Each structure stands twice: as C-alpha cells, then as structure tokens.
Amino acid sequence: MNFKKWGILVSVLLLTFVLAACSNKDGEKEEGSNDKSGGTEQKQYKDTLNIAVTAQPPGLDSSLTVSTVALGISLNIFEQLYTLNASYEPTPMLAESVEQSEDGLTYTFKLREGVKFHNGKEMTAEDVEASMNRWLATSSRAKVLLEGAKFETVDKYNVKLTVAKPTSDVMILISSRAQYASIMPKEIVEAAPADGIKEFVGTGPYEFKEWKQDQYIHLVKNEDYQGVDGEPSGYAGRKEAPTANLYYHFVTDHSTRIAGIQTGKYDIADSIPIENYDQLDADKNIQLSTFPGGALTAFLNTNEGLLANQKYREAILAALNNEEIMLASFAKPELYSLAPSYLNENQVQWSNDAGKDYYNQANPEKAKKLLEEAGYKGEEITLLTTKDYAEMYAATLVIQEQLRQIGMNVKVDSYDFPTFLETKNDSSKWDLFVASTGYQSTPPQILAVTPDWAGLNNDQVKNSLTAIRSAATPEDAKKEWAKLQGFLYEFGSSTVIGHYNEVVATTNKIEDYEQFETSVVWNVKVSE
C-alpha cells in the first residue's frame, strides 16, 4: 500500500467547508473620505479588539482541553508544526516540510529556522521534541490514536516521528485543532504540572499578557512575530496582527453580550442566542455570521450508576424527542437539522444514517416498557449541565422533563463551564450530560469515541477505530465507520440530538475577519 497516496486521498475527500469571511453590511471597505479641504482623510484604526465569549476557559493548555473558547484564544499564542487550511488540508506552519518513509512508519519534519518564542529564545528541534512528546502523553486523542509513537531530535532543525503502525491520518491528527500540539520552549514543557501549563509562551502573533479571573484574558501583539507567506486560509497562511491588543471578555450573561455588541463595547460576540437573532439581524451596524457548528450530543454513563445497565440507556434513547429538544435549544428550525450522523451531514466521506432505528424515537411507551423490564424502582439519576452554554442548558431541561414523563426520578446539577468539565471527569457524579460538540475531520477524533471524554472504554470501539484507520481504501474506511456509528447507538453510550449552526455577531467596523471553526482574529482591523 502506498501510504503517501492514501493520506493525500483522505485529505482531498475531507469536507471542504470554506467559511466566508465577514465584511461590513454592504460588502465594501471604505478606503477614505473627503475632508472639507478636498483632500482624502486616511481611515484610522483602533489598537484594541474586544471579543465577548460566553464562558471562561478552563485553561489554555491546548493538549488537555476540548473547550472551544480555550482553543480559540490559545491559537493566537501557540502554533503547530502543521495546521489546517480552509480546505482542511494539512499545511506547514512551524515546519517547512515533512518527509514520509515508504513503510509509513517515519515522518521527518524540517523546521523553519530563526523562529523565536515570545521569551526571545529560538525554536529548535529539542523544543519540538519535548512539546510533541508531551502532546502524545497528555492529549486523550493522541494517546489512543498514536499509541506507541515517539518524536526524536535528528539535528537542530529536524525532528523525526516514529509511529507504531502505519495509518492514513497521522498528518490530520498533527494538524487538527482538537487538543492540538502547541510548540513551547523545552524548559516550560519539562516544568509543566499535571493539571496543565501555567506559562503561556509560544511563537504566535500574540503574546499572553494577563488573565483576570472571571473578567478577561488580555493578549498583546508579538512585535517579533515571524510568520509564513501565503493568503490567509483557515488557520494557515499570513498572520499580521494589525491590532495591538486583544481582550477576550468572559460574558456569561447573554443579554449583556447582546447589549455590548449593539453599543459597540464589544467588536465580536460569540454564541448569539437564537432568540436575539432577528433583533440583531435588523441592526444595520451589526453583521451576523452563521456556519455549521457541530452536533448537540447526549453522553450516557456506561461505567457507573443506573445507566451502567444497557437496558436503562435503551429506555432513555427510546424516550428522547429530538425535535422538541432542538427547538427549545435553537428556537429557529432553519438553524438546526435532525440526523443521526456524528459528523457533518455534508461530509460525504463519512456521513451516514447508521443507528437511525435508535435515533429520535420519541416513544415514551417503549421507554416505560424497557424501564419495567430493567426493574426500575425510582432511583434518582443526575443530569449534568452548565448555564454558560444556553443550548446545552435548555436541552438538559427538556430531557429532564421527557424522562420524568416516562416515570424516571431526575435531578439537574448545573455549574459554570470550567466546573462542568471538571465534574464530568468524575463518572460517579453524573448519569447523562449534553454537550455542543464541534465537527471533526475524521471519526477517530470525535468525542463520542474518546475514552477520556465520557468514559467509553470498549474493545469493539477500539477495534473499529483501528479498522477505520488501516482500511485499504476510503470506501472501506467509510463502511467500518458506519458499523461503528451503528454500534454506538445500539450500545447507547451516546446519541446525536441534532446538528446546529453557530451564530457570531460582529460590528461593521471590523475588517478581515474570518470564521473557521472559531473566530480567526489575528488579521482583524477595527476602524474608529
């Protein structure tokens, strides 16, 4: 098998959801205006970009977190060897190139020379080796999908990756944003505590300045940034950092975030509640951007408590009315859809309807019968949630009511987002939780098959992932994924509730903004 050709083919077949950049309302940029003397007045730009995000991140250690807000902020600070362009193709960033051996077991990366960390130190292979090996040891995805892999220094500007077995997705894993591998100074990597790095020193266009708890994170322009050439595309290409200061404000109250974007206090506001969509869409000073966001997914506890019994999980899946849940969570039917696929419905390589018989059953009578067969005696189950994400909280309350209707004793535990993530890691404290899960490039990267996410540790899942990654053709890989998706529904470890669009609001004063899985702001300018 020629693994180089297979890897290229997989990349080509991946969904190319190119997200259009937002501009001002009329789609044109005003270059200048005439002053009273007949001359041309030069447009002036602010030195600060204010971004309102819906939750405080649990940390900025990219290999440890799946938090979208954390990854969106950290991408300004840290960079990868390779990253994804707007076509989801692995593209050089801190590496100039990569050479793959014929047997598919070795990848040799040639590094860019003269790249400086924010502390002034030049990046070399020793830093890359330390950073990448830490990623292999700490990222839940890397630990499972690249088990036995190792990075080694070849010389000052070359580093080698050796994998235990050839697979088609090595470069996709290295390039993806999900739990991505930040390149940091070796000494920071070696001093990193188990709960995550505390010194945020990277090579990116912005440097970490301050984290004021429960208020904001402040980043400042890296004056010595050494980027790559090429048109900006996704996370790849030119990064210019024309705005000196980035402030990420933690604004958990949705009405405050809406008021802030309307008054100009914030230049960008994420996670716009759907009930405010029409209000903001009518405002001529605001641009709304919608894009495929991901799948709202319910995860069931397969390890502890009542739901460790598969029969109870089957009962819950039988009870769920996904249309009711999605309507409560997103309000406008045109901004969501129903389908059992864990990946984007338009992602031809991977999308399928396996498990449809277990999806959106809305059958309370069947659910009651399954509970009776399981011997249910009114035991309490706990739904874990957070109000920081309105759709997750609303979905949880609807599920609570649907389960009460079939006779289950259900309570809801709600926390701020960082505490939600921390509590989720203790399977004794929850039975079910709902999460907004962003789309991934390949099935092995989705949270539904990641053991560290919701505790699913199943041999059939592991064997299926191996079969997908080692399949001889893309068609064979797709068949293996369909089998695995069907098993996830039959086993009842999780269920997609529906697919949603994200909504981000920007003022018409910002230029060169791009939306690609998150807000890409390193080229943004804000006019006075």
Side-chain angles (χ1 to χ4, degrees):
M1 185 192 310
N2 188 323
F3 287 93
K4 292 182 181 178
K5 290 184 179 179
W6 168 214
I8 292 171
L9 183 56
V10 169
S11 295
V12 170
L13 287 172
L14 291 176
L15 171 68
T16 307
F17 3 86
V18 181
L19 303 174
C22 294
S23 61
N24 54 15
K25 286 279 183 179
D26 60 10
E28 298 177 356
K29 296 177 184 177
E30 180 186 1
E31 297 300 331
S33 58
N34 290 333
D35 60 23
K36 292 181 180 180
S37 63
T40 299
E41 181 182 351
Q42 190 68 31
K43 187 180 250 186
Q44 299 296 311
Y45 293 97
K46 298 179 181 179
D47 68 356
T48 299
L49 179 68
N50 289 293
I51 306 159
V53 295
T54 189
Q56 179 168 234
L60 294 179
D61 193 331
S62 65
S63 67
L64 291 179
T65 184
V66 297
S67 163
T68 298
V69 66
L71 295 170
I73 296 171
S74 66
L75 279 168
N76 296 288
I77 305 169
F78 302 109
E79 294 180 306
Q80 301 161 260
L81 289 177
Y82 269 64
T83 192
L84 296 178
N85 66 15
S87 297
Y88 286 79
E89 299 164 327
T91 306
M93 180 55 66
L94 292 177
E96 285 185 359
S97 60
V98 63
E99 214 173 277
Q100 184 180 350
S101 63
E102 287 295 331
D103 61 8
L105 295 175
T106 303
Y107 297 75
T108 302
F109 296 87
K110 178 174 175 52
L111 306 179
R112 291 168 49 212
E113 299 183 21
V115 175
K116 298 286 184 66
F117 289 111
H118 299 151
N119 62 7
K121 173 189 171 183
E122 183 186 10
M123 178 196 73
T124 67
E126 289 187 349
D127 302 300
V128 174
E129 176 188 343
S131 297
M132 296 304 293
N133 281 333
R134 178 177 181 271
W135 173 68
L136 290 172
T138 57
S139 164
S140 60
R141 289 180 172 95
K143 282 191 292 187
V144 172
L145 301 177
L146 291 173
E147 185 178 7
K150 184 179 181 181
F151 279 84
E152 298 174 280
T153 295
V154 176
D155 56 39
K156 187 174 183 180
Y157 298 114
N158 287 276
V159 65
K160 178 178 69 174
L161 165 66
T162 304
V163 296
K165 53 190 175 184
T167 58
S168 60
D169 56 359
V170 172
M171 288 306 298
I172 290 291
L173 294 172
I174 287 173
S175 305
S176 293
R177 179 179 70 106
Q179 290 188 311
Y180 72 91
S182 300
I183 305 302
M184 299 173 282
K186 177 183 177 182
E187 57 272 19
I188 290 179
V189 173
E190 292 177 342
D195 61 346
I197 59 168
K198 301 297 186 288
E199 291 183 79
F200 310 121
V201 178
T203 61
Y206 285 92
E207 301 180 27
F208 176 83
K209 178 70 173 178
E210 180 187 17
W211 186 332
K212 195 159 187 180
Q213 283 294 319
D214 301 318
Q215 294 188 46
Y216 60 77
I217 287 175
H218 178 199
L219 309 182
V220 296
K221 180 177 181 177
N222 174 11
E223 299 290 349
D224 299 319
Y225 178 65
Q226 295 157 295
V228 296
D229 294 327
E231 284 300 309
S233 175
Y235 299 129
R238 186 177 67 252
K239 303 176 185 177
E240 294 185 336
T243 306
N245 299 278
L246 301 184
Y247 279 90
Y248 284 88
H249 302 270
F250 315 137
V251 190
T252 59
D253 181 74
H254 302 303
S255 60
T256 303
R257 207 159 60 256
I258 297 303
I261 194 73
Q262 288 185 303
T263 61
K265 180 178 181 179
Y266 307 125
D267 304 295
I268 300 171
D270 77 353
S271 299
I272 297 301
I274 303 304
E275 60 265 27
N276 298 105
Y277 184 93
D278 292 336
Q279 170 193 357
L280 294 180
D281 193 43
D283 191 327
K284 65 180 181 179
N285 297 314
I286 293 173
Q287 176 76 42
L288 292 182
S289 172
T290 64
F291 58 95
L296 191 67
T297 308
F299 296 89
L300 290 76
N301 192 333
T302 59
N303 295 314
E304 295 189 51
L306 197 69
L307 302 195
N309 182 330
Q310 184 175 337
K311 187 72 74 173
Y312 287 111
R313 302 198 298 272
E314 292 175 1
I316 288 175
L317 263 60
L320 296 184
N321 183 324
N322 294 4
E323 180 69 46
E324 286 183 357
I325 300 169
M326 292 300 287
L327 186 61
S329 301
F330 297 98
K332 297 175 74 69
E334 60 267 33
L335 292 177
Y336 66 83
S337 62
L338 299 182
S341 176
Y342 283 82
L343 287 96
N344 190 292
E345 296 174 80
N346 299 319
Q347 200 166 347
V348 177
Q349 167 63 16
W350 301 115
S351 182
N352 66 77
D353 64 356
K356 62 182 180 181
D357 292 341
Y358 296 89
Y359 178 75
N360 191 30
Q361 296 177 66
N363 190 338
E365 294 309 312
K366 177 183 176 181
K368 290 176 183 178
K369 184 178 179 181
L370 288 167
L371 286 181
E372 184 179 353
E373 292 175 2
Y376 182 63
K377 294 180 173 57
E379 296 94 333
E380 184 177 68
I381 69 168
T382 300
L383 309 187
L384 179 66
T385 191
T386 175
K387 291 182 179 179
D388 288 355
Y389 287 90
E391 73 279 5
M392 290 164 55
Y393 185 68
T396 303
L397 295 185
V398 176
I399 291 173
Q400 180 188 33
E401 183 56 30
Q402 290 178 355
L403 298 185
R404 281 177 172 170
Q405 292 297 320
I406 64 169
M408 297 193 81
N409 179 12
V410 188
K411 74 167 182 173
V412 170
D413 284 348
S414 181
Y415 303 95
D416 62 52
F417 185 58
T419 307
F420 164 83
L421 290 176
E422 181 182 348
T423 306
K424 171 193 70 63
N425 293 331
D426 184 348
S427 59
S428 69
K429 294 183 177 179
W430 61 272
D431 295 288
L432 180 151
F433 68 85
V434 174
S436 307
T437 56
Y439 291 129
Q440 301 300 325
S441 304
T442 62
Q445 293 178 280
I446 66 172
L447 292 173
V449 298
T450 303
D452 285 357
W453 175 249
L456 179 62
N457 191 10
N458 181 277
D459 287 339
Q460 185 166 335
V461 173
K462 293 176 184 177
N463 293 336
S464 293
L465 292 176
T466 298
I468 292 168
R469 301 178 68 216
S470 60
T473 68
E475 291 76 19
D476 290 341
K478 183 173 184 176
K479 290 177 183 177
E480 292 294 341
W481 164 236
K483 292 178 187 176
L484 176 53
Q485 179 172 298
F487 172 76
L488 294 176
Y489 278 102
E490 181 182 353
F491 188 59
S493 56
S494 62
T495 176
V496 170
I497 298 172
H499 299 260
Y500 59 87
N501 283 349
E502 287 276 13
V503 182
V504 173
T506 60
T507 69
N508 60 7
K509 292 186 176 182
I510 72 168
E511 301 173 9
D512 299 323
Y513 168 82
E514 184 180 354
Q515 183 69 51
F516 180 71
E517 296 184 341
T518 188
S519 294
V520 180
V521 300
W522 45 63
N523 290 323
V524 168
K525 294 182 286 188
V526 191
S527 63
E528 294 282 2

